[in-house]
Amino acid sequence: MEESQELKLYWANVCLLIRMERQHLDDKAEEWTKNSGHPIDINYLGDTAEVPLREKLTEEAAGGKFEADAVVSTRFDLFCSKNFLAGIPEEFAPLGDDLPLRKSFLNSGICHPQGIFHPVLAVPHLIICNTEKTGPGGHPESLKDLLDTGWESQIVIGDPALPSGRCFLFAMWYLFGDEGLEKIVENVVAKSAPSAARFSIMKDEFKLAILPEIFAGPTQKDNLKRIIPLEGIIALPSYLAIKKRAKERLLPFLKEAVYTDYFQEQYVRQGALIPNHETLPPPENLSGLEEKMFFPKWSWIERRDMNYFDQQCNRVRIV
């Protein structure tokens, strides 16, 4: 790569906070380009973009080449699938010795064993129970309980085409195998996004929801109960991957723009997310609980047929 060549970053991270992310990153990129002489082109490819990240990478895979020098995204499945980034591990630089890493991320299974997909943050997901619909003592205690046929069409999630609903189904597949995945697909109903799923359970349309912590707060009716399943808190990780060819020039920018206390703290304050930085506390409601967080083991992920997983996600009924 010529030293004058523009560096390309694909960004599809926290949709809820995209305005904050974009303002911060654009300011940092402008400053970095002025000071270093290395222009950085940030492509915002979130799920509301004209061409979202999955579609962009699908097009590039068909052409035989991924064009970005780096990718940051909560689209965890693109890092797990050999159809996408997991199919070209030799092109990415190990980052484990170069960037901060939270201890709970190491313990949860989030970290890639070779360090080529480095965590930016984690989105914690909980079971939310409508106590008016379930009655006292009628709520599940575990993720395994959700497989019972009595919960059919009573569990609402965000659209599994998006990261939140998809990470829940991925965790259920990991815990309970193909049979468990197919059972939970029968039991859940999806809304367009986690925010819509929260609204529907508030309005007593469903007994249960699987939601990020930011949508798990109390309501005026005080009819929602947060449940931490026996198996743990499902983590939706955001990852960074950098091509080896671009690491020397792009990593310093990402350290300054993304892996700083200021930017990471915005994720905690505005999104109730788990930051990558060990020095920053987790969201208040998760204090002392982040060690319960889990993500499927990479040794398991590498043996999975992600095409089968896509097919099961597509079976979920959207209402």
Side-chain angles (χ1 to χ4, degrees):
M1 175 180 285
E2 298 294 330
E3 284 297 302
S4 61
Q5 187 172 335
E6 185 175 66
L7 294 165
K8 184 174 291 188
L9 170 63
Y10 287 174
W11 186 276
N13 208 36
V14 183
C15 184
L16 185 68
L17 302 180
I18 183 58
R19 292 175 68 180
M20 178 277 291
E21 291 178 323
R22 188 164 192 158
Q23 181 176 352
H24 173 81
L25 292 169
D26 285 349
D27 288 347
K28 286 292 185 182
E30 182 178 355
E31 179 184 345
W32 182 264
T33 300
K34 180 179 178 181
N35 293 336
S36 70
H38 301 318
I40 296 176
D41 176 24
I42 304 177
N43 290 243
Y44 295 100
L45 302 170
D47 292 302
T48 58
E50 183 176 348
V51 180
L53 181 61
R54 185 181 177 95
E55 183 178 333
K56 180 72 169 175
L57 294 187
T58 299
E59 291 174 358
E60 292 182 357
K65 182 180 180 182
F66 290 114
E67 296 180 1
D69 296 294
V71 178
V72 172
S73 184
T74 51
R75 293 301 315 228
F76 71 93
D77 52 322
L78 302 180
F79 297 89
C80 296
S81 174
K82 291 182 175 60
N83 296 327
F84 297 102
L85 304 181
I88 50 170
E90 69 283 354
E91 293 194 23
F92 297 110
L95 301 171
D97 295 331
D98 299 296
L99 293 168
L101 188 58
R102 197 175 188 88
K103 181 180 177 182
S104 64
F105 288 3
L106 281 169
N107 297 337
S108 67
I110 287 174
C111 297
H112 189 274
Q114 280 76 53
I116 59 173
F117 304 142
H118 195 83
V120 176
L121 54 85
V123 186
H125 283 67
L126 309 175
I127 300 175
I128 310 303
C129 173
N130 183 316
T131 53
E132 291 187 357
K133 295 280 285 184
T134 61
H139 60 78
E141 296 183 352
S142 68
L143 294 169
K144 186 176 182 180
D145 290 342
L146 304 183
L147 301 178
D148 190 283
T149 55
W151 294 112
E152 185 172 348
S153 300
Q154 294 298 321
I155 307 168
V156 64
I157 63 174
D159 187 342
L162 307 180
S164 176
R166 205 171 191 85
C167 85
F168 166 64
L169 297 180
F170 198 60
M172 296 297 282
W173 188 26
Y174 170 65
L175 291 171
F176 308 114
D178 292 357
E179 183 178 354
L181 175 60
E182 292 175 19
K183 282 184 178 179
I184 198 64
V185 163
E186 296 293 335
N187 282 1
V188 297
V189 175
K191 289 287 186 177
S192 58
S195 56
R198 172 179 166 83
F199 184 78
S200 66
I201 194 171
M202 284 173 54
K203 295 299 182 182
D204 301 331
E205 295 175 14
F206 298 93
K207 292 182 179 180
L208 303 175
I210 310 298
L211 295 175
E213 170 65 24
I214 188 65
F215 295 117
T219 65
Q220 288 185 342
K221 292 174 64 177
D222 195 28
N223 63 337
L224 299 186
K225 176 182 176 66
R226 297 163 74 254
I227 300 170
I228 296 175
L230 294 177
E231 296 89 348
I233 297 170
I234 298 171
L236 164 59
S238 163
Y239 288 114
L240 159 68
I242 301 180
K243 295 279 186 68
K244 290 176 180 176
R245 69 188 185 203
K247 178 182 175 181
E248 183 177 345
R249 289 190 296 141
L250 192 50
L251 185 59
F253 166 75
L254 291 165
K255 282 183 176 180
E256 185 174 305
V258 178
Y259 289 92
T260 63
D261 280 354
Y262 169 78
F263 192 55
Q264 291 274 314
E265 189 175 12
Q266 303 315 304
Y267 283 132
V268 182
R269 291 178 57 250
Q270 299 186 42
L273 309 177
I274 306 290
N276 184 45
H277 284 209
E278 188 70 41
T279 55
L280 294 175
E284 185 176 353
N285 285 342
L286 295 176
S287 180
L289 296 173
E290 64 175 293
E291 292 298 332
K292 296 180 179 292
M293 191 168 58
F294 78 93
F295 185 70
K297 294 182 183 299
W298 279 92
S299 57
W300 175 86
I301 292 171
E302 290 165 356
R303 301 194 305 272
R304 299 280 76 78
D305 179 359
M306 293 298 288
N307 292 322
Y308 164 78
F309 179 64
D310 290 345
Q311 292 166 6
Q312 294 305 310
C313 290
N314 291 337
R315 290 180 53 224
V316 173
R317 184 162 58 96
I318 313 293
V319 295

